Amino acid sequence: MTTCRTLAFALLLSLPVPALAQTAAEAARIDRILKRTPLIDGHNDWAEALVDKAGDARWTLDLNRLDPKDYDTDIERLRRGRVGGQFWSVYVSASLPGLEQVKATLEQIDLVKRLALRYPQHFTLARTAADVRAAHRAGRIASLIGAEGGGQIDESLSVLRAYHDLGVGYLTLTHFKSISWADSATDDPKHGPRGGLTEFGKTVVREMNRLGMLVDLSHVSEGVMRDALLTSAAPVIFSHSSARALCDHTRNVPDDVLRLVAKNGGIVMVNFAPQYILEARRLWGGARAAEEARGKILYTGEPDRAKAAMAAWLTANPEPRATVATVADHVERIARIAGHDHVGLGGDYDGLAVLPEGMDGVESYPRLFAELIHRGWTDAELAKLAGGNILRVMEGAEEVARGMRGWLPATARPAKP
């Protein structure tokens, strides 16, 4: 994986990057906006990247400056990107058995918490919108936590509550696999022809409302999107998703669901993954997978010939590249359909093999803001995108939780087939 990432990074550096230089006036304007409103990203996989690449050294590794060929995130780059708050993903593989997912999740929660313990001058653990604002006033990065898959609670509402007590602010209802109570966008539906939530899944959503945890609908099927939006009393989030009208990937959000998000008061935080934001890249990925499968059949037992054939195909069919403008297109589409109050940023940094040109790491957010300034975005609209919208959503979820204080904790279990 590291070798592929290194090659991809070298290729990126060899390509021309569109002119994204900010004028002094634009830089001053962006600085002014982000001094008033914290820039909050909905999803970053740095914790998982540290587990995969640093192993046990992750507990002691100097995180101020890391090799950009291996990581999209370090402290210096966060500061250059003017990041004021980050939901750190505590992702574990959906293929692990349930109890192993719980253990691995706890270890990643511990790792995120140690960011603030090791670097208190830079990070502050945060649970509420008020915590985020206080961290921003103090010049620190608010560290929030999101668990990226419903399988990580192992069908247990007690585990869900334990995560909440440990500071987990959102749960993504599925990852790439459907689970016993919710369907994934990237798996065959198990709960109805379009995939949806079971009664237990709806109980999970209501219990998250009671706790004040954000319901995250990235990675879920369209049926789950709709079921959760009908079930949740609190605003929902898509922590790292994009607009399906521009890129027809199943984990992106259709226009009619964007309108439901607006009615719910929620937010869609735009993902930067090229395969989710550039339709030509999505189609290219399918064609590449088909060519790889074809080569395995045509050159069975001849791996060198299969490799040479694949190399020739790649030369003839170069990978389409997303850019800062591609990301901005999705921001604008969501703002146009759902409204400027319902769009945010969820870059998915350190979870992607390739990034859009000009969005090389967490230092790159000002480039996106400059692009949107060129498109006529106002200071008020940019402030909402940066963090105003997600702070409002957090406050909405907190208000719903206060209204449910008299509710008893849920005790349901999934129905057995």
Side-chain angles (χ1 to χ4, degrees):
M1 181 180 292
T2 301
T3 300
C4 292
R5 178 59 178 265
T6 302
L7 290 173
F9 186 83
L11 176 60
L12 183 61
L13 291 181
S14 70
L15 293 170
V17 175
L20 294 167
Q22 302 162 36
T23 66
E26 288 170 349
R29 182 176 168 187
I30 294 167
D31 184 66
R32 183 172 63 251
I33 293 166
L34 298 183
K35 280 183 177 178
R36 290 198 302 258
T37 304
L39 191 161
I40 305 166
D41 182 279
H43 191 89
N44 182 303
D45 282 303
W46 196 24
E48 184 209 357
L50 289 167
V51 171
D52 289 346
K53 297 172 183 176
D56 287 343
R58 67 188 182 276
W59 304 106
T60 55
L61 185 66
D62 183 355
L63 301 178
N64 282 290
R65 181 182 299 174
L66 297 172
D67 191 335
K69 293 190 300 296
D70 295 325
Y71 298 95
D72 304 329
T73 309
D74 60 36
I75 292 171
E76 290 187 5
R77 297 171 84 184
L78 286 165
R79 291 302 197 182
R80 293 207 308 273
R82 305 300 307 278
V83 176
Q86 179 66 65
F87 280 94
W88 303 110
S89 171
V90 290
Y91 162 80
V92 304
S93 173
S95 298
L96 291 173
L99 285 177
E100 289 187 32
Q101 288 193 48
V102 173
K103 177 184 176 183
T105 301
L106 292 173
E107 289 176 348
Q108 287 214 41
I109 292 170
D110 187 26
L111 180 60
V112 170
K113 288 193 164 192
R114 286 176 181 267
L115 290 176
L117 291 172
R118 292 180 61 201
Y119 299 96
Q121 71 276 35
H122 295 296
F123 298 109
T124 297
L125 292 171
R127 297 178 65 110
T128 67
D131 291 342
V132 175
R133 288 192 171 94
H136 188 242
R137 287 193 299 270
R140 295 183 177 88
I141 300 166
S143 286
L144 306 111
I145 303 173
E148 195 185 5
Q152 291 174 238
I153 69 170
D154 193 25
E155 300 183 342
S156 171
L157 294 168
S158 294
V159 172
L160 176 71
R161 288 188 283 270
Y163 288 165
H164 170 261
D165 290 345
L166 290 170
V168 174
Y170 72 65
L171 176 71
T172 314
L173 298 189
T174 68
H175 196 253
F176 72 91
K177 292 178 66 175
S178 294
I179 56 177
S180 65
W181 49 270
D183 281 306
S184 170
T186 47
D187 197 359
D188 293 335
K190 295 181 178 179
H191 312 298
R194 297 184 69 183
L197 287 174
T198 67
E199 284 306 312
F200 178 76
K202 294 173 184 178
T203 299
V204 171
V205 169
R206 286 188 287 266
E207 184 67 358
M208 291 172 69
N209 288 169
R210 188 188 71 83
L211 294 168
M213 291 180 72
L214 298 172
V215 177
D216 178 24
L217 302 181
S218 288
H219 285 290
V220 306
S221 70
E222 187 176 331
V224 171
M225 294 178 195
R226 296 177 186 279
D227 285 351
L229 282 160
L230 285 172
T231 303
S232 181
V236 304
I237 70 168
F238 289 76
S239 66
H240 57 306
S241 294
S242 297
R244 190 157 184 181
L246 300 185
C247 182
D248 193 23
H249 196 286
T250 52
R251 71 182 299 284
N252 283 341
V253 190
D255 281 357
D256 59 336
V257 175
L258 288 175
R259 295 185 182 97
L260 294 176
V261 172
K263 290 180 181 178
N264 164 268
I267 185 173
V268 178
M269 308 180 83
V270 173
N271 193 319
F272 299 171
Q275 68 270 30
Y276 301 149
I277 61 173
L278 184 63
E279 179 67 2
R281 171 58 181 79
R282 185 184 76 86
L283 295 174
W284 178 89
R288 175 178 176 165
E291 189 64 21
E292 287 175 335
R294 177 175 173 272
K296 288 178 182 178
I297 294 171
L298 291 179
Y299 306 113
T300 301
E302 299 179 288
D304 289 343
R305 288 189 70 191
K307 183 178 179 180
M310 193 68 231
W313 187 90
L314 289 171
T315 298
N317 300 274
E319 179 179 357
R321 305 309 299 268
T323 65
V324 177
T326 315
V327 178
D329 289 343
H330 283 263
V331 171
E332 292 212 292
R333 178 71 184 193
I334 293 167
R336 184 161 61 252
I337 302 301
H340 283 89
D341 291 336
H342 304 286
V343 63
L345 302 173
D348 210 355
Y349 280 120
D350 278 303
L352 306 175
V354 177
L355 292 162
E357 294 176 22
M359 300 299 291
D360 311 319
V362 294
E363 75 280 9
S364 303
Y365 297 101
R367 292 177 178 171
L368 176 59
F369 278 68
E371 172 69 22
L372 292 169
I373 287 172
H374 295 163
R375 297 181 183 207
W377 278 52
T378 68
D379 286 13
E381 291 166 347
L382 292 169
K384 289 178 180 181
L385 172 72
N389 289 338
I390 184 62
L391 288 170
R392 175 189 52 76
V393 167
M394 292 172 67
E395 288 167 341
E398 293 162 20
E399 183 178 355
V400 168
R402 285 192 294 271
M404 297 176 71
R405 281 177 179 164
W407 290 39
L408 294 174
T411 58
R413 300 286 294 182
K416 297 301 179 184

